[in-house]
Amino acid sequence: MSGIIPLVDDLARDDLADVERYGRLLRVLRQLLPSDAVALLRLEGEQAVPLAVEGLSTDTLGRRFRLDEHPRLAAILQGQGTVHFAADCGLPDPYDGLVESVHGHLEVHDCMGCALYIDGRPWGMLTMDALTPGQFEQIQRDRLEAFASLAAATVKAGERIGTLAARLSEEQALAETWRAAAGQRTPPEVVGQSTAFKALRKEIALVAPSDLSVLISGETGVGKELVARGIHRQSARKDKPMVVINCAALPDALVESELFGHVRGAFTGAVGERRGKFELADGGTLFLDEVGELPLASQAKLLRVLQSGQLQRVGSDREHQVDVRVIAATNLDLADAVRQGRFRADLYHRLGAYPLRVPPLRERERDVLLLAGFFIEEARSRMGLRSLRLSADAQAALLGYDWPGNVRELEHLIGRAVLRALAASGTVRPRILTVDAAALELPVHSDASVQAPAGAGQALQPEDLRKAVDDFQRQRIAATLERTAGNWTESARLLGLDRANLNRLAKRLGLK
């Protein structure tokens, strides 16, 4: 148990990132209780969110395990102390297909978990899996319970972890407000752990509490609306509505009516009085998507509302006062549009009080695997599948693609790939459905470091694909080893692999 002492010191440090904090927690746990896979999950409403994993596929971090679909996780949360599942337990395992050293389903194995409580309320859980039946004896179960108590105490003591718990409670309350007001499902979240994503999240947290107008830029499909919703959720206006309007979808003749409203008889078809989006968003947030598509005449009236907070409905002389925070988004270069006279310079500067750029997916390192895991879990739930996994060659293909359509392209691609994999499985659904690189139907990696096999231009044969995947893995591992000065443990962490699995893979690829 002596390994716990430096762990407690680490977890109290303010300069330790959450990912590293949780990773150290799990590494110490595996030292105390040898196992093949461990995970730390946080409870968010009716789902368990993985915060750190060891021995599980990287895409596990992007998954969201609904408790009503994963009875083992629900049993751990409802249990007192350590919950142990016998080898012949018939409950489906949430990690089927995700344990790195197992390519099929888990079959007979040992599994246990323990809930973490903060201030008497369930915060999350620790789970452990061993491929050897009977590995977790009673003494180890007692140790897990003791370790869970220490982990919970450390979570509570850490200032940053306490902030996360408070934010969780706040977001749950906000989600309930949204569902009650709009009858919508839980708002989708922005998933990622890359350097670019962390910088974006920091910018969101910085600007959200203010009332500054925000101009979100980024390529099509990067998730600009999700970022806008994140800003609204963290603002003082979070209990008020966020109204969304797509400027590109509005006919020029109806733009002003949609934004500012109209009175009866203002134009043909105006049979009654109608409030516009600004009045509907009073006290809250108005999100102007594709703002660069607004006609110049409407831009002038929009600028007046932003400057004075006063608007006139179309066909009326009466002034209406509104208090609205405006967040705008565009995939155009508005500065260039200003130079060409297609967008007003004064409106551009008013909207861009705080510019925010959403990075494209190709700049977000390994976030593609987390996002793929998120969409895989959504597809699994939607299609009623027991377990769904990404093969190693599929993960390599996802990492090697440039993603011109960004996150939206990834979401649609995963949906299509799951359908193809399901169709290829035949009439009997397998216990674990595997999505491989062939189901993704992605182009061959275009980077010069991965040379196309001889006969490029012809249909790739299966052995060509395997060779391309091996070459890609070999180059990534070699580059990471060079970056870490040959440190295999650190390289395994950066690659999202278990050290033992990295050793086996390196030997197979001739790197060791």
Side-chain angles (χ1 to χ4, degrees):
M1 299 291 281
S2 60
I4 291 178
I5 297 175
L7 174 65
V8 174
D9 293 337
D10 283 344
L11 295 179
R13 287 169 44 188
D14 291 335
D15 61 341
L16 199 60
D18 292 336
V19 173
E20 181 61 22
R21 186 190 309 276
Y22 297 142
R24 295 187 187 208
L25 180 73
L26 295 189
R27 286 193 285 275
V28 170
L29 177 57
R30 290 187 82 182
Q31 291 174 9
L32 295 173
L33 303 174
S35 59
D36 292 284
V38 295
L40 173 67
L41 303 99
R42 183 179 65 204
L43 181 63
E44 290 189 3
E46 296 302 316
Q47 61 185 10
V49 177
L51 298 183
V53 297
E54 289 278 325
L56 295 173
S57 175
T58 302
D59 68 275
T60 307
L61 292 170
R63 298 184 181 234
R64 301 298 180 260
F65 297 109
R66 286 182 50 183
L67 298 180
D68 59 350
E69 296 180 353
H70 295 285
R72 290 203 187 202
L73 300 182
I76 292 172
L77 279 173
Q78 296 167 2
Q80 298 294 323
T82 299
V83 177
H84 179 255
F85 299 95
D88 58 355
C89 175
L91 297 178
D93 194 299
Y95 306 132
D96 258 355
L98 301 180
V99 179
E100 287 184 329
S101 55
V102 179
H103 299 293
H105 54 78
L106 294 185
E107 290 292 354
V108 178
H109 70 294
D110 226 8
C111 174
M112 65 178 178
C114 190
L116 302 184
Y117 286 83
I118 302 295
D119 294 330
R121 294 183 298 177
W123 179 88
M125 70 190 88
L126 288 166
T127 64
M128 303 189 70
D129 283 86
L131 301 180
T132 305
Q135 179 164 330
F136 298 137
E137 300 176 353
Q138 185 60 48
I139 185 172
Q140 291 173 308
R141 300 172 202 169
D142 294 341
R143 283 186 176 182
L144 175 61
E145 189 171 345
F147 188 89
S149 299
L150 175 61
T154 307
V155 166
K156 181 179 178 181
E159 179 180 351
R160 300 182 71 182
I161 304 301
T163 302
L164 283 176
R167 185 177 301 166
L168 168 64
S169 176
E170 198 171 73
E171 290 180 352
Q172 287 175 338
L174 177 60
E176 291 298 328
T177 301
W178 271 93
R179 283 195 289 270
Q184 296 177 344
R185 63 174 185 168
T186 302
E189 59 181 298
V190 185
V191 175
Q193 291 183 356
S194 65
T195 303
F197 177 80
K198 289 177 181 176
L200 173 63
R201 188 162 52 190
K202 188 179 295 184
E203 293 282 342
I204 292 173
L206 177 64
V207 72
S210 73
D211 256 352
L212 289 176
S213 297
V214 180
L215 180 59
I216 304 172
S217 61
E219 298 176 6
T220 297
V222 294
K224 295 186 287 294
E225 183 175 340
L226 292 184
V227 171
R229 292 191 182 278
I231 294 172
H232 176 72
R233 284 200 299 270
Q234 297 181 45
S235 73
R237 299 172 180 264
K238 61 189 176 186
D239 294 325
K240 298 293 184 179
M242 174 176 167
V243 177
V244 178
I245 184 168
N246 187 341
C247 301
L250 296 176
D252 288 358
L254 296 179
V255 171
E256 293 177 22
S257 172
E258 286 293 322
L259 288 174
F260 314 123
H262 62 257
V263 297
R264 181 178 181 181
F267 50 84
T268 302
V271 296
E273 193 167 307
R274 183 181 181 221
R275 292 190 300 165
K277 293 297 191 291
F278 265 97
E279 288 185 77
L280 292 175
D282 193 20
T285 303
L286 178 62
F287 176 54
L288 300 174
D289 198 10
E290 303 299 346
V291 70
E293 303 295 336
L294 280 176
L296 279 170
S298 300
Q299 291 178 27
K301 295 184 179 181
L302 174 60
L303 177 64
R304 178 175 180 271
V305 178
L306 293 179
Q307 290 174 332
S308 66
Q310 293 183 327
L311 60 84
Q312 290 180 343
R313 294 178 182 174
V314 177
S316 172
D317 294 329
R318 180 186 170 192
E319 295 281 356
H320 293 267
Q321 187 73 32
V322 291
D323 173 23
V324 175
R325 181 190 194 173
V326 173
I327 301 176
T330 182
N331 60 358
L332 303 177
D333 184 347
L334 284 192
D336 184 59
V338 169
R339 288 190 291 270
Q340 296 181 19
R342 294 185 291 108
F343 201 85
R344 293 179 62 103
D346 45 7
L347 178 59
Y348 170 64
H349 293 297
R350 173 69 67 170
L351 290 173
Y354 197 98
L356 202 59
R357 175 182 177 269
V358 182
L361 188 52
R362 61 182 172 275
E363 294 180 9
R364 291 178 56 181
E365 302 164 8
R366 294 174 62 86
D367 278 357
V368 63
L369 294 184
L370 275 66
L371 288 161
F374 182 88
F375 296 134
I376 280 279
E377 184 61 22
E378 281 196 334
R380 185 205 62 76
S381 177
R382 186 171 58 249
M383 297 182 182
L385 300 172
R386 181 166 181 172
S387 189
L388 192 58
R389 68 184 291 269
L390 282 170
S391 67
D393 63 341
Q395 294 186 40
L398 291 174
L399 288 170
Y401 184 55
D402 288 336
W403 300 109
N406 293 292
V407 180
R408 185 180 297 126
E409 180 186 6
L410 172 61
E411 179 181 9
H412 295 162
L413 181 139
I414 291 294
R416 294 193 300 269
V418 172
L419 287 175
R420 293 191 191 103
L422 189 58
S425 67
T427 56
V428 179
R429 290 189 174 187
R431 179 175 173 180
I432 297 177
L433 181 64
T434 299
V435 177
D436 57 18
L440 295 175
E441 293 189 356
L442 279 172
V444 179
H445 190 276
S446 59
D447 192 290
S449 63
V450 181
Q451 298 295 330
Q458 301 176 358
L460 283 176
Q461 299 300 315
E463 59 269 21
D464 296 328
L465 178 60
R466 284 194 292 270
K467 181 178 182 302
V469 171
D470 286 349
D471 289 344
F472 176 76
Q473 292 179 323
R474 189 178 293 111
Q475 289 150 7
R476 290 298 291 265
I477 294 172
T480 306
L481 283 170
E482 182 177 354
R483 175 181 169 187
T484 62
N487 188 321
W488 286 88
T489 300
E490 179 66 12
S491 295
R493 186 185 70 80
L494 291 174
L495 290 167
L497 295 174
D498 180 76
R499 168 68 188 271
N501 291 334
L502 177 59
N503 286 338
R504 284 193 290 270
L505 180 61
K507 288 178 181 177
R508 185 177 70 79
L509 297 174
L511 292 173
K512 234 186 174 188

